[in-house]
Amino acid sequence: MEGIADLGGTEGWGPVHPTRRDEPVFPERWNARAFALGALAWRAAGANLDAFRHGLERQDRDAYLGEGYWGRWLNAGELVLLDSALLAPGAVDARARRLAGDPAEEPPIPEPHKPGYAPTAEGSLRVLDVPPALAAGDHVRTKTMAPPGHTRLAKYVRGHVGVVEAVQPASVLPDTNAHFVAENPQYVYTVRFASRELWGADSEPFDVTVDLFESYLEKIA
């Protein structure tokens, strides 16, 4: 899904600073609560991690950039609860206003409709009875596609040529799992791209490795 969440590799956002070894996981106490609430929300809603990620990317630009990383988690948790009708639209806002002393009327509790979804195993890794279609050293091109729903194919690598660095275990495909269509497990490949392939001849020379699902790639001679 294209949108403000697809920021990886895009220009104009400044350098990425590596995490410090002594950096706390949760800089503020409410951050830990946001993490717990987000994880609890997707489980209560009968969703999965990929559906939760789709909730992160469905936020508008102001919410995504203005409310910070853990603010996004809270918003995504609310979205998956709304999707499953465990929350009524406007319920959180009305409760916040009531807690602040405003006699706002809260909407009635809706009838839940969770997705009819059950994972076939714990986690996201799966075992396939077919061999990988690609091997280390193969030259590949990423497909140019912009699906309307969730995808892990970042925009900045679409349509570019790279080399398979390693073959990873098969994993549930987020593009379909996020929408409860199918797990559709596929092999994942670590693909190495030259920076000048991705950003042009004037860019600083270095290599970038990206993990990509098999259906995102086509082998080239």
Side-chain angles (χ1 to χ4, degrees):
M1 179 177 178
E2 293 190 6
I4 190 60
D6 192 1
L7 287 173
T10 58
E11 299 180 67
W13 298 92
V16 174
H17 301 288
T19 305
R20 303 193 318 270
R21 282 184 173 274
D22 61 346
E23 186 171 319
V25 176
F26 302 110
E28 298 182 43
R29 190 173 180 180
W30 74 269
N31 300 160
R33 291 176 177 170
F35 171 78
L37 286 170
L40 179 62
W42 92 57
R43 285 167 174 77
N48 56 48
L49 177 58
D50 297 314
F52 183 77
R53 285 173 170 153
H54 189 46
L56 288 169
E57 65 191 5
R58 280 185 287 158
Q59 297 170 46
D60 63 33
R61 182 184 179 89
D62 289 344
Y64 194 87
L65 296 179
E67 299 181 17
Y69 183 82
W70 294 112
R72 290 173 217 148
W73 267 65
L74 290 175
N75 292 335
E78 185 178 340
L79 271 173
V80 295
L81 291 174
L82 287 168
D83 288 343
S84 293
L86 297 184
L87 266 181
V92 172
D93 180 61
R95 178 66 60 86
R97 290 167 59 190
R98 286 177 64 85
L99 291 173
D102 181 347
E105 183 176 351
E106 297 188 25
I109 299 174
E111 185 68 26
H113 56 80
K114 296 182 183 181
Y117 156 80
T120 61
E122 291 292 325
S124 59
L125 298 183
R126 299 290 184 269
V127 178
L128 298 182
D129 57 5
V130 294
L134 301 168
D138 282 347
H139 286 69
V140 293
R141 185 189 307 277
T142 52
K143 294 180 181 176
T144 302
M145 60 184 198
H150 183 62
T151 185
R152 304 300 290 173
L153 177 58
K155 185 166 56 178
Y156 80 103
V157 297
R158 294 174 193 169
H160 289 288
V161 173
V163 179
V164 174
E165 191 95 341
V167 181
Q168 308 289 353
S171 179
V172 169
L173 181 68
D175 304 38
T176 52
N177 198 46
H179 304 289
F180 315 112
V181 176
E183 290 189 346
N184 194 17
Q186 300 180 9
Y187 289 103
V188 177
Y189 302 89
T190 300
V191 180
R192 175 168 44 82
F193 297 92
S195 60
R196 289 177 173 170
E197 166 67 18
L198 298 177
W199 295 290
D202 295 335
S203 66
E204 180 183 349
F206 59 91
D207 287 342
V208 177
T209 55
V210 185
D211 286 344
L212 297 166
F213 285 87
E214 192 166 276
S215 61
Y216 298 166
L217 301 168
E218 56 186 2
K219 186 176 179 179
I220 59 176

